[in-house]
């Protein structure tokens, strides 16, 4: 019976192995891989045409989109195709995601051909590296596009590399990678000729003689031993070489028979031979042969006499004698150059001859430094006094200490909740903050982090608290953090933050005191290093207080000559107290009636004016040969720059936009493009942006804006989608409000309690500054001179901005009396975005009417001649 059972089990095993090795299985897997590649290809191609309409639905519903029957998508492969293509393009690698199709095709081919898996892995590795590299490069060059060319991977990698290396450093890195790839693939031959001056620098080795034990035993008649001296290799064998006389030509000296001491043979001997021995110090360089050393007969050497002393000749002529001098001796100036009656040269004698070295302009600058005191930018307001701390409230009566019993109760409740789900921990500790307490736990070995992360809502329920946030794991630590709000929350006053040692002793260009961390430490950041700041949060969660905190930090730390503020307040009621600082800290256009910009059209002019200011500053940096505003101001303070040439001391400029969403809704691209340009380029010239909005949607904070704002502050938002839009991570929807915020700089996210400053405190500080003496006139921004704009309100356009195919499209619409974007796209062979932009331009110039949904637009002009007359009238207006 036992033998029968063994036979049956062996038959079962044999059948299972035959089933795995069946050649039909690889064929089926090959077809499956090929079909999946075709599926991805169709989904990707469809994404190019349907991403605009599908993206909002995919981002809003995510995988729940598959079960929503009422929602439809435009992707050719339905909802699953929209999700997959969005995952690869938006959250993945962008356009290079097509490389995954190549991997699937290669897998299908290798399955049929039964190729080795090592070759497939080798191919996959190279394709994946190419995808990652192409994603970063595409996102770097196409960062202004709304289409995700490089995906989330390219965008995040570019942001990290830009913050680490700077934009110029990233350009150099990409150039190095491209050149390295070219070198690796092509391996070009680089035949670079030796420059003439290097050839003339070859030393004269005819004067190098041997001394020591090598030369003492050498004679003209005695043969050399067969073993070569250490460090030298024989020229050829002793049998075939006739007795050679020592040479005295430049560059070569011989010893006995068959030893070549020429420079190439000494330093370029072949490695790996048996006779190669570690070199010894038997060879010495001297100017002439040692008298006591017998050497082979040589031709008599001529002793070159020392040249006579020349009088009053400041020029130096290098002769062969000077080139053949010993290496350890240096000519003295008195022996080669003398003036009449003096061994030193006079400055007049040097400048009088054309061969003299010209005086460097640096010496003139050094002389100016010695004669003039450094420029003081604070001199015009030398009596200016910084605001007093007494103007700020301390809020001592609203400070509460966390009860010890509350800490112990929360600890026990966390442990009990985790034990209910069979999760054991080995250690727990608490760090008390002003509004939140951080509980750090160390899980037992074998516990998955994701298991604890999924218990976020259960822990919040057991603690009866809102705003529970789990950090799994804490960066830089081997612990998991659970942030629990305190029952009694402290108010972090701006007074205690500003008088802290961190802020008082901060050596930063633009220090801003944001508040306190979870560990109750003051947090001070440098706005100049951020270099721009994006703030988002729902209404009433602390955005305006945060902006006031930043502005008050600058007023308490910087002199009016060092920083200027450009304030744009579409809500008209948030920043109006700062209007009193008109002649101290504010900057605006010359024709503005109010220093605080509230009108949309004036805001556009102001932002464009800052772009002009940026270009002018870059021109000054170029003339001064400075890379940034810090180097430029140092040169100007040291009086190395002449004000008559247009140079001036540059203060930092901080642009604050309180409600960015309102500007985008009313002005659109007219605001977005100059803001993006400032964010890309203005850092080096000292112009920094602080942009706040309560609607962090993808329509307001576009990819172009996000890519150039690496530093972001998120107050409490209403949904996880808003949190991911502003931070690229969740967590902002779980904050508790009232100044509780997350600061994201690069890949680090820090939870802070924003410092509180009330409106009466702000007004008191501003009144204290405005009562002091100010500048004679405000800091005016450059005037903006542009063309007259045409169109309806909110849809104005300049004639110079018209598309190059505008007239062709307009003639087509007028001839057919049918205004639709699809017709322009089809007949003019244009893309959807470009055709839609041309149609918007026609609407702005009153050629066609507004959109009527699926119906074609109404055409206001009936023939081509009327169209030409209409355009001519617009030009002459």
């Amino acid at each position: 019976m036992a033998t029968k059972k063994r036979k049956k089990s062996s038959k079962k095993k044999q059948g299972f192995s035959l089933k795995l090795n069946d050649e039909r299985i690889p064929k089926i897997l090959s077809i499956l891989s090929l079909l999946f590649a075709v599926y991805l290809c169709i989904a990707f191609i469809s994404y190019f045409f349907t991403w605009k309409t599908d993206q909002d639905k995919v981002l809003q519903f995510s995988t729940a989109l598959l079960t929503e029957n009422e929602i439809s998508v435009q992707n050719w492969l339905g909802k699953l195709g929209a999700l997959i293509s969005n995952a690869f393009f938006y959250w993945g690698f962008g356009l290079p995601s097509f490389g995954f199709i190549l991997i699937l095709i290669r897998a299908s081919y290798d399955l049929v051909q039964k190729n080795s898996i090592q070759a497939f892995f080798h191919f996959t590795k190279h394709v994946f590296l190419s995808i990652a590299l192409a994603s970063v490069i595409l996102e770097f060059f196409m960062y202004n596009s709304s289409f995700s060319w490089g995906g989330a991977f390219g965008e995040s990698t570019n942001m990290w590399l830009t913050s680490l290396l700077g934009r110029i450093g990233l350009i150099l890195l990409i150039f190095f990678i491209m050149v390295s790839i070219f070198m690796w693939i092509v391996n070009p031959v680089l035949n670079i000729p030796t420059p003439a001056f290097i050839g003339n620098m070859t030393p004269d080795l005819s004067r190098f003689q041997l001394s020591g034990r090598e030369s003492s035993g050498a004679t003209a008649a005695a043969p050399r031993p067969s073993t070569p001296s250490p460090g030298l290799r024989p020229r050829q064998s002793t049998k075939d070489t006739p007795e050679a006389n020592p040479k005295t030509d430049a560059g070569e000296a011989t010893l006995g028979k068959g030893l070549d001491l020429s420079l190439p043979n000494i330093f370029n001997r072949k490695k790996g031979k048996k006779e190669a021995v570690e070199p010894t110090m038997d060879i010495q360089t001297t100017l002439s042969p040692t008298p006591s050393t017998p050497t082979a007969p040589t031709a008599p050497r001529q002793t070159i006499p020392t040249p006579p002393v020349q009088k009053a000749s400041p020029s130096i002529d290098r002769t062969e004698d000077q080139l053949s001098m010993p290496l350890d001796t240096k000519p003295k100036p008195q022996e080669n150059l003398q003036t009449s009656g003096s061994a030193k040269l006079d400055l007049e004698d040097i400048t009088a001859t054309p061969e003299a070295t010209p005086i460097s302009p640096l010496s003139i600058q050094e002389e100016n430094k010695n004669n003039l005191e450094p420029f003081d930018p604070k001199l015009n307001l030398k009596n200016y006094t910084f605001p007093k701390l007494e103007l700020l409230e301390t809020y001592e009566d609203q400070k509460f200490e966390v009860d010890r019993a509350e800490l112990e109760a929360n600890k026990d409740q966390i442990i009990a909740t985790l034990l209910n789900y069979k999760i054991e921990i080995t250690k727990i500790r608490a760090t008390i903050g002003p509004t939140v307490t951080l509980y750090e736990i160390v899980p037992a070995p074998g516990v998955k982090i994701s298991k604890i992360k999924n218990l976020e809502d259960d822990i919040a329920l057991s603690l009866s608290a809102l705003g529970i946030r789990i950090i799994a794991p804490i960066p830089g630590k081997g612990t998991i953090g659970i942030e629990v709000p305190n029952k009694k929350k402290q108010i972090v006053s701006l007074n205690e933050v500003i008088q802290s040692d961190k802020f008082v002793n901060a050596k930063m260009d633009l220090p801003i005191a944001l508040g306190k961390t979870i560990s109750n430490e003051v947090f001070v950041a440098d706005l100049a290093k951020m270099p721009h700041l994006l703030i988002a949060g729902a209404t009433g969660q602390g955005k305006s207080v945060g902006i006031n905190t930043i502005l008050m930090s600058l007023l308490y730390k910087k002199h009016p000559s060092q920083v200027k503020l450009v304030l744009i307040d579409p809500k008209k009621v948030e920043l109006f107290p700062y209007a009193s600082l008109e002649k101290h800290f504010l900057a605006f256009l010359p024709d503005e009636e109010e220093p605080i910009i509230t009108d949309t059209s004036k805001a556009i002019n102001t932002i464009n004016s800052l772009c002009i200011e940026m270009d002018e500053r870059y021109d000054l940096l170029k003339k001064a040969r400075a890379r940034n505003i810090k180097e430029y101001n140092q040169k100007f303070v040291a009086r190395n720059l002449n004000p008559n040439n247009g140079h001036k001391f540059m203060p930092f400029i901080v642009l604050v936009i309180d409600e960015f969403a309102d500007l985008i809704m009313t002005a659109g691209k007219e605001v977005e493009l100059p803001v993006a340009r400032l964010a890309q380029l203005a850092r080096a010239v000292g112009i920094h942006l602080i942009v706040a909005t309560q609607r962090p949607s993808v329509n307001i904070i576009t990819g172009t804006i996000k890519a150039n704002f690496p530093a972001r502050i998120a107050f409490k938002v209403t949904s996880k989608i808003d949190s991911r839009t502003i931070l690229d991570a969740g967590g902002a929807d779980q904050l508790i409000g009232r100044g509780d915020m997350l600061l994201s700089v690069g890949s680090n996210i820090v939870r802070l309690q924003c410092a509180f400053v009330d409106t009466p405190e702000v007004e008191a500080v501003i009144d204290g500054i405005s009562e002091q003496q100010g500048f004679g006139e405000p800091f005016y921004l450059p005037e903006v001179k542009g063309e007259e704009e045409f169109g309806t309100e909110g849809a104005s356009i300049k004639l110079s901005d018209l598309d190059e195919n505008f007239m062709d499209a307009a003639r087509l619409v007028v001839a057919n009396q049918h205004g639709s974007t699809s017709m322009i796209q089809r007949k003019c062979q244009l893309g959807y975005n470009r055709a839609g932009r041309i149609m918007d331009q026609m609407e702005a110039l009153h050629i066609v009417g507004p959109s009527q949904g699926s119906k074609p637009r109404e055409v206001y002009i009936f023939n081509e001649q009327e169209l030409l007359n209409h355009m001519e009238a617009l030009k002459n207006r």
Side-chain angles (χ1 to χ4, degrees), residues 267-311:
F267 295 103
N268 297 331
R269 66 183 185 275
K270 296 182 179 178
K271 297 180 181 179
K273 292 193 175 182
K274 293 181 180 180
E275 62 269 14
V277 189
E278 207 51 47
T280 59
M281 301 301 294
D282 293 335
I283 301 177
Q284 298 178 356
T285 59
T286 56
L287 182 61
S288 59
T290 307
S292 61
T293 304
T295 57
T298 58
R301 295 182 56 189
Q302 295 180 358
T303 303
I304 303 176
T306 304
V309 177
Q310 299 179 2
K311 297 182 179 181

Side-chain angles (χ1 to χ4, degrees), residues 469-605:
R469 180 170 171 262
I470 295 181
I471 310 171
I474 297 177
K477 296 182 179 181
T479 59
I480 297 174
I482 302 176
E483 296 175 349
V484 181
N486 300 332
K487 293 182 179 179
K488 295 182 179 179
K489 302 173 181 61
Q490 297 182 13
I491 291 182
V492 178
S493 66
L494 184 62
N495 188 320
E496 63 174 317
V497 173
I498 285 183
Q499 66 179 344
S500 64
D501 293 337
K502 264 191 178 180
F503 185 79
V504 173
N505 302 323
K507 303 297 181 183
M508 302 176 181
D509 293 326
L510 294 174
I512 52 176
L514 292 176
K516 286 187 175 183
T517 62
I518 292 180
S519 57
N520 219 22
E521 295 179 357
V522 174
F523 189 89
V524 180
D526 189 2
L527 180 61
K529 296 289 179 64
M530 284 185 174
H532 310 294
L533 185 58
L534 185 61
I535 304 175
T539 303
Q541 302 304 321
K543 290 193 312 300
S544 299
V545 175
I547 292 176
N548 283 328
T549 299
I550 294 172
L551 294 179
M552 297 296 287
S553 301
L554 296 176
L555 296 183
Y556 266 91
K557 193 70 176 177
K558 308 304 289 185
H559 190 271
S561 63
Q562 296 174 329
V563 63
K564 299 297 177 183
L565 304 175
V566 180
L567 305 181
I568 298 178
D569 182 17
K571 290 192 291 187
K572 304 180 182 180
V573 294
E574 294 293 345
L575 302 177
F576 71 91
Y578 294 92
S580 302
L581 303 179
E582 177 181 352
K583 293 188 177 181
H584 293 84
F585 284 98
L586 297 188
F588 49 90
L589 290 171
D591 56 349
E592 293 292 341
E593 297 178 358
E594 295 291 334
I596 308 298
I597 297 95
T598 57
D599 187 66
T600 302
S601 60
K602 294 180 180 179
I604 296 172
N605 292 335

Side-chain angles (χ1 to χ4, degrees), residues 110-391:
D110 286 350
L111 284 170
V112 173
Q113 297 296 326
K114 297 182 180 180
N115 294 334
S116 64
I117 195 169
Q118 289 83 1
F120 173 73
F121 284 155
H122 185 71
F123 175 80
T124 303
K125 178 183 68 175
H126 283 82
V127 172
F128 188 78
L129 290 176
S130 302
I131 290 172
L133 180 61
S135 172
V136 175
I137 294 176
L138 274 176
E139 190 64 30
F140 175 79
F141 287 106
M142 307 295 291
Y143 57 88
N144 281 329
S145 176
S146 58
F147 184 77
S148 55
W149 292 96
F153 175 82
E155 181 181 352
S156 59
T157 306
N158 268 283
M159 288 170 53
W160 176 71
L161 289 175
T162 303
S163 62
L164 179 67
L165 304 174
R167 193 152 188 85
I168 297 177
L170 182 54
I171 292 174
L172 295 177
L173 177 61
I174 292 176
F175 176 76
F176 168 74
I177 293 175
M178 299 300 293
V179 171
S180 301
I181 294 174
F182 174 77
M183 291 288 186
W184 187 265
I185 296 175
V186 179
N187 191 17
V189 179
L190 303 176
N191 293 325
I192 303 175
T194 304
F197 71 90
I198 295 180
N200 295 333
M201 292 171 61
T202 304
D204 186 1
L205 295 183
S206 61
R207 301 180 182 275
F208 291 178
Q209 302 296 331
L210 297 178
S211 61
R213 61 184 178 91
E214 292 285 349
S215 58
S216 60
T219 59
R224 296 293 297 171
S226 60
T227 304
S229 300
L232 306 177
R233 69 178 179 87
R235 182 183 299 175
Q236 54 186 350
S237 62
T238 315
K239 296 179 182 179
D240 303 333
T241 307
E243 186 175 354
N245 293 329
K247 295 182 180 181
T248 57
D249 297 338
E252 184 178 4
T254 59
L255 176 64
K257 291 184 180 181
L259 290 182
D260 187 1
L261 299 184
S262 61
L263 187 64
N265 288 328
I266 292 175
F267 295 103
N268 297 331
R269 66 183 185 275
K270 296 182 179 178
K271 297 180 181 179
K273 292 193 175 182
K274 293 181 180 180
E275 62 269 14
V277 189
E278 207 51 47
T280 59
M281 301 301 294
D282 293 335
I283 301 177
Q284 298 178 356
T285 59
T286 56
L287 182 61
S288 59
T290 307
S292 61
T293 304
T295 57
T298 58
R301 295 182 56 189
Q302 295 180 358
T303 303
I304 303 176
T306 304
V309 177
Q310 299 179 2
K311 297 182 179 181
S313 177
S315 62
I316 303 174
D317 295 325
R318 293 179 61 89
T319 62
E320 295 180 359
D321 305 297
Q322 293 169 332
L323 288 175
S324 61
M325 294 178 66
L327 298 178
D328 55 350
T329 61
K330 295 182 181 179
K332 297 180 180 180
Q334 289 82 355
E335 297 176 1
N336 295 326
L337 298 173
Q338 284 187 356
T339 57
S340 56
S342 175
K344 296 183 179 179
L345 291 178
D346 222 344
L347 183 62
E348 297 178 357
D349 295 328
I350 294 178
T351 56
T353 59
E355 297 178 357
T357 304
I359 301 176
S360 171
L362 292 176
S363 61
I364 300 177
Q365 295 175 2
E366 292 291 338
E367 184 179 353
N368 288 340
K369 283 196 235 177
N370 296 332
N371 294 338
L372 297 175
E373 295 181 358
F375 173 76
D376 185 9
K378 304 178 184 178
L379 195 59
N380 290 335
L381 294 181
K382 60 181 180 180
N383 297 324
Y384 176 82
T385 57
F386 288 91
K388 299 179 180 179
L389 287 174
E390 289 77 8
L391 300 174

Side-chain angles (χ1 to χ4, degrees), residues 592-629:
E592 293 292 341
E593 297 178 358
E594 295 291 334
I596 308 298
I597 297 95
T598 57
D599 187 66
T600 302
S601 60
K602 294 180 180 179
I604 296 172
N605 292 335
T606 301
I607 298 173
N608 289 325
S609 176
L610 281 175
C611 291
I612 299 174
E613 174 73 17
M614 176 185 69
D615 295 334
E616 292 179 353
R617 290 191 171 198
Y618 267 115
D619 291 338
L620 292 178
L621 259 64
K622 179 181 177 182
K623 293 179 183 178
R625 297 183 178 274
R627 293 179 299 176
N628 50 51
I629 186 175

Side-chain angles (χ1 to χ4, degrees), residues 413-487:
Q413 198 65 41
I414 291 173
I415 295 173
T417 304
L418 294 176
L419 286 176
N420 290 336
Y421 295 92
K422 298 180 180 179
I423 298 175
E424 297 182 359
I425 60 176
T426 59
K427 185 179 179 182
I428 183 170
R429 62 185 297 267
T431 304
I432 304 172
T435 56
V436 175
T437 298
L438 173 65
Y439 296 89
E440 296 183 54
I441 63 174
V442 179
V447 177
K448 290 185 178 181
I449 295 178
S450 59
K451 197 172 182 182
I452 300 177
K453 180 70 175 175
N454 294 333
L455 297 177
E456 199 167 54
D457 295 335
D458 300 282
I459 296 174
L461 178 63
S462 64
L463 296 176
S464 303
L466 296 176
I468 296 292
R469 180 170 171 262
I470 295 181
I471 310 171
I474 297 177
K477 296 182 179 181
T479 59
I480 297 174
I482 302 176
E483 296 175 349
V484 181
N486 300 332
K487 293 182 179 179

